[in-house]
Amino acid sequence: MTHEAHRPRTERDAGPGPRPLWRQRDFGVFWTAQTLSVLGDSFALIALPLLVLEATGSIARMGLLTAVGGAAAVLAAVFAGAVVDRVDRRRLLIGCDLVRMVLYGVIPVVWLLGPQIWLLYAVLPLCEAVGMLFAVGYVTVVRGLVGTEQLTEANGRLNATAAAAGVLGPLCAGLVAAWSGPATAVGVDAASFGVSAACMVFVRFRPRAADDTPGGRPGLWQDLRAGVSFLYGHPVLRTLTVLLCGFSFLTLGLNDLVIYHLKHDLGHDDGTVGTVMAVGALGTITGALLVARVRRRLGFGRTWTGSVAVCGLAFAGLGWARDVPVVAALSAAFLACAGMAGTCSMSLRQEVTPEPLLGRVTSAYWTLHYSAAPIGAAVLTWAAERHGTTPVALVAGAACVLIAVAALFTPVRRSGHT
């Protein structure tokens, strides 16, 4: 996620160079707000599937919820880039946090009267759509907040604390769920969005420059076509979009599969689920720390294809694992390599896309490569309930390895970007 905020004149003009980030009040507050939003997302990642499993005992129901939420995110991604470019981004970000606070806050209140599974299928799609708007808005604001000279440093700090929140969130969510139930964990999730919105109120943004497009901004559909056209015209991005469509189809339901495997197949409690997810998130941090060095050494093509291949091998092994430490290690390996592949593809997209098109290309890219993922999550979890997690994980993992092999025969392998 990223945002397009701006420093006030007093910070931009103070002294011969930019102030250190730790002395920039607006960035510090923004950093705190973003970390809290990620923490809330990571709570929901664990708490909502646990609510479904607690009430129904069905992994297929879990997968259906994931599919519905994913479909809403895909639909929102279609329009998110154009919307973000047309509205006040500060109000948009605050509004997104407040909406998620209210929607998630309804769940624990209703659960006091008894489980209402239908409510989750109503709330999660709305929250996922709003979260997509927030994500695209976030991608557009950091440069204006800190300036070009400190952009890499600022992104590094944001990503580091986001990864740390990704470790702490699942662990705390699992502990809270084990102590007082998943509904309480959802309540904590709602509160985190409220605090994030309150922080964002105190971030000062510079006015955005007026649109100087001749004749004004193009229409919405022209905006959408511009992003798709750029992706189609770039051989590597076009190929990545197709390959990632298959990868997302196979892997969106992985989280549900791991939770079901731990609770149903291995008989562990919610606290164990949270611990395994936290260890998995440590893999994300490891991948984030290694990706730049690995890409410089191996190049884009080898890094991306190798990461996807390791993801497939880790996924295939998850269904066979019977010990919690092995499940945790495989989850960490999968998330580390998925993070490396994702960072490589995101960086390449940022490198080759003209700045004025970046928001629309990002929306088009996310929309296209996630388009089949909700169906995949539903199919994966339905198959796991019918045939067990072991054969399903093996087949899905093998298919991921085949995607990596297929990439060797495409422009991805020959990409010269390092």
Side-chain angles (χ1 to χ4, degrees), residues 139-218:
V139 171
T140 65
V141 302
V142 174
R143 175 180 299 183
L145 184 63
V146 301
T148 303
E149 294 179 19
Q150 295 176 297
L151 184 58
T152 301
E153 181 185 358
N155 279 329
R157 294 192 180 194
L158 288 164
N159 290 339
T161 52
V167 173
L168 184 62
L171 180 60
C172 292
L175 293 175
V176 171
W179 174 54
S180 58
T184 303
V186 177
V188 175
D189 176 19
S192 73
F193 288 117
V195 177
S196 173
C199 290
M200 197 67 68
V201 169
F202 296 99
V203 180
R204 294 169 292 181
F205 297 93
R206 289 183 307 190
R208 190 167 45 183
D211 193 339
D212 57 0
T213 304
R217 287 196 57 83

Side-chain angles (χ1 to χ4, degrees), residues 312-386:
L313 295 174
F315 197 170
L318 277 168
W320 295 90
R322 293 296 177 224
D323 296 324
V324 171
V326 177
V327 175
L330 291 173
S331 296
F334 178 92
L335 291 173
C337 291
M340 291 179 67
T343 300
C344 281
S345 59
M346 180 181 70
S347 299
L348 177 67
R349 190 174 68 249
Q350 291 172 323
E351 292 161 6
V352 303
T353 304
E355 181 64 29
L357 280 175
L358 188 54
R360 284 165 283 175
V361 170
T362 297
S363 287
Y365 187 78
W366 286 352
T367 300
L368 293 172
H369 95 252
Y370 278 124
S371 57
I375 299 172
V379 170
L380 185 81
T381 51
W382 173 84
E385 185 164 273
R386 288 293 187 91

Side-chain angles (χ1 to χ4, degrees), residues 234-310:
H234 193 283
V236 178
L237 292 183
R238 179 176 66 242
T239 304
L240 282 175
T241 303
V242 174
L243 294 175
L244 283 171
C245 185
F247 185 77
S248 298
F249 177 91
L250 294 165
T251 60
L252 182 62
L254 175 72
N255 187 62
D256 295 330
L257 201 70
V258 171
I259 292 174
Y260 185 77
H261 184 54
L262 288 168
K263 289 184 66 70
H264 180 268
D265 298 342
L266 305 184
H268 291 283
D269 61 11
D270 293 348
T272 302
V273 171
T275 301
V276 169
M277 293 299 173
V279 172
L282 286 173
T284 303
I285 296 176
T286 303
L289 294 174
L290 292 177
V291 63
R293 182 180 303 175
V294 173
R295 185 180 173 188
R296 281 195 301 268
R297 184 177 181 86
L298 301 180
F300 173 83
R302 290 180 179 178
T303 303
W304 192 89
T305 54
S307 296
V308 171
V310 174

Side-chain angles (χ1 to χ4, degrees), residues 83-94:
V83 171
V84 167
D85 286 342
R86 284 171 160 78
V87 301
D88 182 283
R89 289 178 179 137
R90 178 171 174 270
R91 293 180 180 176
L92 175 69
L93 297 175
I94 293 172

Side-chain angles (χ1 to χ4, degrees), residues 1-4 30 34 37 41 69-70 72-100 103 124-141 193 200 208 220 224 359 362-363 366-367:
M1 297 180 180
T2 29
H3 298 178
E4 189 166 332
F30 176 81
Q34 172 58 14
S37 277
D41 287 337
V74 169
L75 182 61
V78 174
F79 304 101
V83 171
V84 167
D85 286 342
R86 284 171 160 78
V87 301
D88 182 283
R89 289 178 179 137
R90 178 171 174 270
R91 293 180 180 176
L92 175 69
L93 297 175
I94 293 172
C96 287
D97 275 338
L98 290 176
V99 168
R100 287 184 288 179
L103 289 174
L124 184 62
L126 293 173
C127 289
E128 288 292 314
V130 172
M132 179 58 70
L133 281 174
F134 186 96
V136 175
Y138 169 75
V139 171
T140 65
V141 302
F193 288 117
M200 197 67 68
R208 190 167 45 183
L220 177 61
L224 298 176
T362 297
S363 287
W366 286 352
T367 300

